[in-house]
Each structure stands twice: as structure tokens, then as C-alpha cells.
């Protein structure tokens, strides 16, 4: 296997490979290379030369070690087009991410050597941004999981049929999110004496495109009374149809005041 991957560059095909090269490649923002399956470089455009700042003829010297075998394996048999993501070190040894498109050119049957044209597009900043967003999302999800409150999205029906619930659902209701999703169970937990008040208060706020803030009782296991506070708002279509209700619910020691409705219009 080592011998296979270390085969030196062949001289014979150079003239043939020149026929696949175009001066237009030097105008590309992407790096363009003609290589064989052993990553010997036969031709390169100006973008690649600026990136590498050397006349190296071995692409593997710039590749991140873990990606060398991946790319050689990708080029080990002729296909029409292959693609993958690789990491390369620039002349200052900074690691950069590239989207690679490999287009098969021709083979040399007597040596079982395959030749490819590689198009390398630098996606470093895009991938760094994705990593930052992913890290931020993980931090936000971790925070939501630790909060003793329930973030929700529900249908605007009398049962408050839940379409999304955070893990804080357990702290508020005693149920796991999966036990309440797409069921009428949460609406049935609301104390019968409070259910009309909750419905009318929320509808008044939604009709004004405002924020509702209501306090009411829910019944755990049909018996234990728990007071909760529900702060939420509507989700609207472009034609002002109410698509859903979103908000957050947490347990509170306070008891039911007069309905509180914030009629400040929400931005869509």
C-alpha cells in the first residue's frame, strides 16, 4: 500500500496533459491543479502558486495529514466527477478549508495511472462562521436545558396543542416533551375554572398583535395545583393569519391577577 501511494511522477504524459490546460485557468479565483492519483502536481494556476508560494510538485506536502489518505483514495479509480472537503496549509502554515471538485481527465493504462483536474475553492471563512454559529447554538441549547421553564410553540386551539417544547417542560409539568407534543394534554391540565380566562386573554392579545402575560393554575396528575406564568406572542402569516403561539411558561407563587395585555405591536 505504501509503495502504491508513493509512486513518482511520470514524464510521458506531460505533453498530453498540456492539452487539457487553458490559460483561462489563471483568471480563476479558485486554485486549479492537474494531478495524478498519487498527488503529483503537473500543472497549476496562479491562484495555487500564490497560495503555496513554492514550486512544490507534491500536493500531499500542503495537505493536512488526516486528509492525505482521503484524497488519494478519492482519486484511486476513474470517475466522472468527485468532490470532498479538505484542509490545506498555506505558505505561513495556516490551516485553511477547501471545497474540492475532482474531474477525471485521462488514464495511462500501462502504468495504471489516472490524471485529474482539481478545482479548489477556499471556504475557510464560511466554515469558521459555521463553527461559531454551531458553538453558539450549543451554548444556547445548553442554557435552555438548564432553565426551569418551558419554551413552547403551540397551535392556537383551546387545547394548546404543542408543536415544540424545551426540556424545561419536565420542571413545569412533570411530563417529558414527547408526552405532550401533538396531544391535547397540556390544555387539559389547565384548571377548568381558569381555562376560559386563559383563552380569552391570549386571544385578546393575539388580535392586537400584542404580548400576553397570564397567570393560571395547572393540575398535575389531575389533582396537585401548580400556579404558572405564561408569557407569549403570536406568529402570523403575511396575510395576518395566526399560525402559532410561542412563549415561555414557568412556575410561580403568585396568584391570578387581572389579565395583563401588552398591546405594543410585535414586529413580524
Amino acid at each position: 500500500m505504501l509503495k502504491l501511494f508513493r509512486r513518482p511522477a511520470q514524464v510521458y504524459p506531460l505533453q498530453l496533459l498540456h492539452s487539457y490546460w487553458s490559460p483561462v485557468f489563471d483568471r480563476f479565483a479558485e486554485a486549479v491543479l492537474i494531478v495524478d492519483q498519487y498527488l503529483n502536481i503537473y500543472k497549476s494556476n496562479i491562484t495555487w502558486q500564490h497560495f503555496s508560494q513554492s514550486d512544490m510538485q507534491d500536493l500531499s506536502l500542503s495537505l493536512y495529514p488526516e486528509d492525505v489518505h482521503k484524497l488519494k483514495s478519492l482519486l484511486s479509480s476513474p470517475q466522472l466527477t468527485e468532490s470532498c472537503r479538505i484542509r490545506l496549509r498555506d505558505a505561513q502554515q495556516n490551516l485553511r478549508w477547501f471545497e474540492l471538485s475532482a474531474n477525471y481527465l485521462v488514464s495511462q493504462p500501462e502504468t495504471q495511472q489516472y490524471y485529474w483536474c482539481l478545482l479548489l475553492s477556499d471556504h475557510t471563512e464560511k466554515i469558521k462562521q459555521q463553527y461559531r454559529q454551531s458553538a453558539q447554538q450549543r451554548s444556547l441549547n445548553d442554557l435552555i436545558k438548564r432553565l426551569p421553564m418551558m419554551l413552547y410553540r403551540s397551535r392556537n386551539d383551546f387545547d394548546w396543542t404543542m408543536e415544540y417544547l424545551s426540556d424545561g417542560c419536565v420542571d413545569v409539568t412533570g411530563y417529558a416533551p414527547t408526552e405532550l407534543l401533538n396531544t391535547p394534554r397540556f390544555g387539559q391540565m389547565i384548571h377548568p375554572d381558569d381555562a376560559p380566562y386563559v383563552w380569552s386573554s391570549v386571544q385578546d392579545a393575539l388580535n392586537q398583535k400584542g404580548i400576553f402575560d397570564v397567570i393560571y393554575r395547572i393540575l398535575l396528575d389531575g389533582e396537585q395545583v401548580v400556579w404558572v406564568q405564561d408569557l407569549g406572542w403570536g406568529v402570523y402569516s403575511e396575510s395576518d393569519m395566526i399560525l402559532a403561539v410561542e412563549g415561555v411558561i414557568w412556575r410561580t407563587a403568585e396568584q391570578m391577577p387581572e389579565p395583563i395585555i401588552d398591546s405594543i405591536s410585535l414586529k413580524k
Side-chain angles (χ1 to χ4, degrees), residues 227-259:
W227 287 91
V228 297
Q229 187 162 355
D230 190 341
L231 179 68
W233 48 87
V235 180
Y236 304 87
S237 69
E238 292 184 0
S239 59
D240 290 336
M241 179 184 297
I242 300 171
L243 301 177
V245 179
E246 294 181 341
V248 58
I249 299 174
W250 64 94
R251 291 192 183 188
T252 179
E254 299 181 33
Q255 295 188 2
M256 187 187 303
E258 292 299 318

Side-chain angles (χ1 to χ4, degrees), residues 177-188:
T178 53
E179 296 178 277
L180 297 183
L181 288 174
N182 298 310
T183 73
R185 181 170 287 172
F186 183 78
Q188 294 170 357

Side-chain angles (χ1 to χ4, degrees), residues 111-127:
T111 61
Q112 293 186 339
Q113 204 157 356
Y114 310 120
Y115 301 96
W116 299 79
C117 181
L118 306 184
L119 186 69
L120 299 165
S121 179
D122 191 341
H123 284 205
T124 303
E125 294 307 315
K126 176 182 177 181
I127 292 171

